[in-house]
């Protein structure tokens, strides 16, 4: 396969638009799209400039495509990904990869057996300043001491804020943690180059009912965690923090320096030192190679969410073409997210610390 | 007693200087000072402009003073405060009031019996924007949902950063939490108008030894907590976060609005709303009465740490003169800090959630 | 012509890459590219995914394309644009459109006569928060009182920072003002909906020589200006401000509110009011229609430079397809930039205020 | 005279309160106060804790005081200062020292003849981070290239915002520039260690009438300037910028580094470099000696306006006691402000650049 794959998209919502733009930016051919109905597929094909609208997932995975992008509701990810793998397609699957650890692991097994590539858009890894923090922390070799993490949104603030994500059928057993907490701890581990080995959590579901629908999962999760190197951390995850739109913020404290990344100002990285702290602005001239590689434009020309997504998809396609791009989030990372989500739910239920090392069969740093 | 009391100061270090300035600003008479030796007392008297240097604590509490300020190492607070009370003096005592709950409670009992005033400088309560957050939260009556808190410093970062606070003799069983975590959770509760009802914590002591001295207490504490109204929160407390000097930051998320206070920029309060978030700058023209009362200078003229301390001491003296200033932190709040410190240490040891309601005999909101 | 034009690109540098990405994002067909040599054209074609490399500008404008993007050195813009117009092509031409007012005006005349579209990437107009400021200012109808503007870079800081822009042959008589000052005052006028009617300026050329090359134009320009409605303003423009990469910042003070836009944090707009100032974060849910139209992703998902460029090119193509997109910068705006540049150079030479109303034949607000 | 002088205060408004606090902080004896009436003086004496209320300025300067603080309306400063000098008193006089250059110069001459100390509270010089910028710029020896300055307030925004400062009788011929622009350019020169050698300005008086009173002076001034070393700069000064309370901001661009100071966040200094810009937080451990000297509290404990004022008054008293504190603003700086104010008014009237070197008989650096 050449580096510009033939692409099929499952789903016609906002995320499908983001995937389609990234695929086009990587010069892929947008071959086909399917959505929840033939009519919606036709609309999406027109809106996104995809050549062909197909009636359902079955016909999409059977179409002449190299890779399938799964951009459907959460509880459907696993079965569509499985269908695509069965059809011999590479897969880019929205998170959560699955709503249980076993299901997620089964996808990895199927993928490995088939020799295919599976990528999951833990896309915040693709901000250059995240890579910069990771490179500096790795280069220093200094011990990590603590981590202060939060992911705050407000789109589920009001009792009548309804969404399929809040229901059991399409959303699954975890919402705030599975949807955004998983991003947060993925980034904690990715930059640290270490695994979370145990955690203690508490969760809240503020409204039992939203509009006419029952709520099946949490609005808020608060988590204590320990990393393999001994660092401790806190993570607050909520979809009910007024005024916060997508405020993923992490501060890593190592023995020589601190690193603070705020997703809403992704071109900045605060580097704390005993004397001489800095607010580093993205500037490819002075970044580490990995961060410079992801810098599409010069310093002072802000990069954003779509830029990160474009870079993620480009790397996924590079992996499909045989390369091994550093830091590409794969189905293994999807399993990891399922393990952590499961631990959060179990700790919140029992009040106990939960070991999170069990299924982590591949280390982040490997 | 008039509103300008006669003041004695115990201790000759940095905090004594801050207390002395605040006392003078409140037009008190600085009558006498004692320190760890007669020579140090003489130096401090000259440096701080105190009339008389006394050889020891006993002579200070026996001198003709209305109020004693205790500014000595942590483990000595309780006994000096007890001596002052026994001599019939009002007391302004540095935190931690005591290194155990029982000791702290005994001081409250003695104070109440003697009909004296005892104040503890949880001084961050005296930033006008803290009062503004508290007033708005109280006025709205909306439920608090979650709290994101951190108190980060770096002055104990290196293995050779030594201090009496790290030892058992002068520092006590808790350091990071007792010294700064107590400030943090005091402010969480003060603004929330609610008690923390339970917590789960983990702590780290990074170095067993600093220089030649054994380390007896933690460098880092990570805490999960639940408030009486159901809100959940996280608190990270560390004295080993490179680049962080005194970074107390709290964000309260209520059902209608969020409030974020950063102690290092105390004249600002971020108010988050679904639409229309604001970075409110202190401006007495548009603040609540309590916040306006504490505004010494107009908007745009920054207020700082000494201003807050001056206001705290002025309120303590007002209480001594018979007033009941709103929000004055008293020995009851010192007991509360001891309860929370004890819970953090016990949870870190056991891995379990600890009930923190037991000794909270007076509610914050009362 | 359909809405997806056939595109030719002149130039193979960084800006060509930005234009190519935007063209592809708008689903245009990238037909041909030419650069300073056939070899460079071939390289660029491969790098940017353009179908065909052509040997020179003449063959490019003669190729089967609807629109030519001119991305070559400054002094060549006018003649290439003229060739493209003569060949009946629409033109997207990098700024400065021309290095003299007469030349720029001649292009407008040729374009109008031929009934073609000519766009100039004053691309900062395409940040949603710029549109938001403009919409609010227009809706309020309140008088503008003053403007504080700056555009600070540092890439020409050192004596050996060489660039073709500094020379007479490719750069022209003005550098800092023509290259970045023109962006700044375009944005001042665009948001104000008013023209600058007079200005006073001083300029500096810090190094006569950079490396082996003579410097023909200024590094720094400082400008006082008056707007048609009576407001006064200052603008500092420099390419020698250490630490500033692309710091375009403007604060407009109207009688009811102030608006501050910082290009390096383009998703934020500070709105100042007597009481209740806000740091508005881009959120399509609560923006004016024009700003919401340009919001590619939800609030909290940062947008950047490439997003703005994509939107500009999409609007240029919409204009080519017959639409009249609001706020598209055209060759008329290119003339305006030439008028202001000329006034800055003349004022700096004479020490006098210069009238800048002469050639402004179309109002911004029209 | 000992280092704790006997102090008399003229005026009973807000500034008198600030001066009184600073005097007490410096352990001065607050001997007497006079205000616009005997009744107001009595009120002020009680409110500020001054021993004695006197009926008028004549009796105050005749009282047994070492130093007189003049805190009265602008147009009265010069004559009260002259009376105090004639009575042999040292003087701390609010700015503007006088409303004409000649009057200001006459005060300097009288002071020099009498061998007395005269200080003018250009108090922003007393923020440690201002001293830090000055020390670093001086130590580097690198050329200054440009300066971006602004001083923005909003308290005169509305047509019915009345104040004696706007009238001819008490305010004088310049308001925005004389009151706050003078602070701004004092700081520009103080940190630069250079004089402004020429300027071009324009001014606006937005309302001819405020309430029932005629307006005699400008609301807004916009200024271009050149420094002796060749740097150019812009300064916008307005009392009608909605949302800006006291936003004095200056950014100095030198050949090796930039320095940005914002008065509303005085504990921070942005230091820009080609690579590695920093947001330096005040921390006495890592500051230059002069900045460390003015650091009353450790890093992370914010300092504010009153702290700066306290330090200024302490230095003024030290000068009275015979010391020569570095950077104390004196009556010579008051003359300088008058020269610059005069130049702004003349340039605004004529449209011409004005030489501002004439009366600058002492260099800043001297």
């Amino acid at each position: 396969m050449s580096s510009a794959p033939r692409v099929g998209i499952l789903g016609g919502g906002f995320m499908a638009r983001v995937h389609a733009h990234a695929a086009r930016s990587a010069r892929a051919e947008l071959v086909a799209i399917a959505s929840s109905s033939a009519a919606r597929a036709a609309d999406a094909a027109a809106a996104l400039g995809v050549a062909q609208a197909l009636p359902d997932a079955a016909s999409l995975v059977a179409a002449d495509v190299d890779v399938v992008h799964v951009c459907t509701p959460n509880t459907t990810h696993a079965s569509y990904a499985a269908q695509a793998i069965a059809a011999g397609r590479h897969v880019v699957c929205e998170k959560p990869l699955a709503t249980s650890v076993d299901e997620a692991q089964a996808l990895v097994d199927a993928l490995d057996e088939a020799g295919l590539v599976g990528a999951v858009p833990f896309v915040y890894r693709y901000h250059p300043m995240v890579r910069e923090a990771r490179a500096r922390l790795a280069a220093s070799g200094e011990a990590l001491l603590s981590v202060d993490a939060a992911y705050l949104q407000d789109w589920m603030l009001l009792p009548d804020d309804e969404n399929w994500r809040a229901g059991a059928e399409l959303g699954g057993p975890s919402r705030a943690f599975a949807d955004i907490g998983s991003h947060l701890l993925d980034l904690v581990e990715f930059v640290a180059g270490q695994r979370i080995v145990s955690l203690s959590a508490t969760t809240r579901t503020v409204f039992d009912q939203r509009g006419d629908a029952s709520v099946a999962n949490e609005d808020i999760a608060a988590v204590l965690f320990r990393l393999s190197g001994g660092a401790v951390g806190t993570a607050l995850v909520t979809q009910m923090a007024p005024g916060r739109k997508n405020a993923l913020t992490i501060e890593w404290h190592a023995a020589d320096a601190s690193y603070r990344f705020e997703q809403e100002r992704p071109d900045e990285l605060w580097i704390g030192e005993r004397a001489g702290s800095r607010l580093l602005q993205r500037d490819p001239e002075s970044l580490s190679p990995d961060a410079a590689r992801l810098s599409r434009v010069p310093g002072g020309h802000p990069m954003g969410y779509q830029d990160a997504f474009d870079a993620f998809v480009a790397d996924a396609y590079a992996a499909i073409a045989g390369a091994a791009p550093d830091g590409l989030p794969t189905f293994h990372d999807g399993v990891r997210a399922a393990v952590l989500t499961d631990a959060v739910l179990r700790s919140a239920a029992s009040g106990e610390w939960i070991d999170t090392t069990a299924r982590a069969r591949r280390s982040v740093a490997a």
Side-chain angles (χ1 to χ4, degrees), chain A:
Chain A
M1 198 206 75
S2 89
S3 64
R6 295 169 56 78
V7 167
I9 295 176
L10 258 172
F14 165 66
M15 285 315 302
R17 174 180 301 271
V18 171
H19 283 249
H21 183 279
R24 178 172 283 113
S25 165
R27 302 183 209 160
E29 192 178 339
L30 299 183
V31 172
I33 191 165
S35 186
S36 50
S37 71
R40 294 200 55 180
D43 288 352
L48 307 183
V50 181
Q52 195 182 358
L54 292 174
D56 52 28
S59 42
L60 189 101
V61 303
D64 180 19
V65 298
D66 300 308
V67 55
V68 171
H69 289 246
V70 179
C71 312
T72 55
N74 292 0
T75 54
T76 67
H77 293 167
S79 90
Y80 288 148
Q83 289 179 51
I85 295 168
R89 310 304 176 211
H90 303 285
V91 186
V92 177
C93 183
E94 267 302 323
K95 25 115 283 199
L97 179 56
T99 55
S100 79
V101 176
D102 288 343
E103 231 177 355
Q105 185 60 49
L107 289 172
V108 165
D109 295 341
L111 200 72
D112 286 355
E113 199 170 345
L116 295 167
V117 170
V120 177
F122 289 114
V123 68
Y124 301 127
R125 293 187 183 189
Y126 279 84
H127 286 300
M129 299 318 270
V130 164
R131 299 291 175 124
E132 185 67 18
R134 181 177 178 244
R136 286 175 181 247
L137 197 50
S140 82
E142 294 281 349
L144 190 67
L145 303 174
S146 57
V147 180
D148 187 13
Y151 200 151
L152 313 175
Q153 298 182 331
D154 73 357
W155 65 288
M156 291 297 273
L157 180 64
L158 302 177
D160 55 353
D161 289 325
E162 281 187 78
N163 190 279
W164 57 260
R165 287 179 175 82
E169 198 188 346
L170 295 177
S174 173
R175 174 173 27 98
F177 189 83
D179 271 3
I180 62 174
S182 61
H183 268 300
L184 185 67
L185 296 195
D186 177 76
L187 218 54
V188 165
E189 292 189 340
F190 179 67
V191 169
Q194 292 178 29
R195 287 295 191 200
I196 289 169
V197 293
S198 61
L199 62 78
S200 169
T202 184
T203 60
R204 282 193 76 187
T205 303
V206 177
F207 304 118
D208 290 337
Q209 195 85 8
R210 288 177 174 271
D212 294 337
S214 292
V215 173
N217 39 40
E218 81 287 353
D219 300 298
I220 306 174
V223 185
L224 281 190
F225 57 85
R226 296 193 193 103
L227 286 152
S228 55
V232 299
T234 58
L236 182 66
V237 177
T238 170
Q239 296 177 326
M240 294 181 66
R244 295 299 182 194
K245 299 307 169 190
N246 201 37
L248 179 158
T249 304
I250 310 178
E251 187 167 316
W252 295 264
H253 306 123
D256 61 333
S258 299
Y259 305 93
R260 181 181 184 85
F261 176 73
E262 303 186 2
Q263 188 273 149
E264 294 186 347
R265 289 178 172 172
D267 264 13
E268 300 172 9
L269 180 70
W270 182 78
I271 301 181
E273 297 186 19
R274 192 71 167 275
S277 297
R278 288 186 277 161
L279 186 63
L280 196 68
Q281 194 182 4
R282 186 183 58 76
D283 179 9
E285 309 283 317
S286 55
L287 293 184
S288 62
D290 194 26
R293 171 180 85 89
L294 296 174
S295 280
R296 160 179 276 173
V297 281
H301 294 72
M303 289 179 62
Y305 177 79
Q306 186 70 55
D307 296 303
F309 217 100
D310 288 1
F312 159 71
V313 168
D315 264 12
Y317 292 174
I320 290 171
D326 182 33
L328 177 70
T330 69
F331 276 25
H332 291 278
D333 301 293
V335 172
R336 178 65 184 158
V339 168
L340 294 174
T341 302
D342 179 65
V344 164
L345 296 181
R346 285 196 289 136
S347 178
S350 70
E352 289 173 2
W353 284 81
I354 305 292
D355 183 308
T356 55
T357 57
R359 297 259 189 165
R361 293 193 294 203
R362 294 203 187 176
S363 91
V364 170

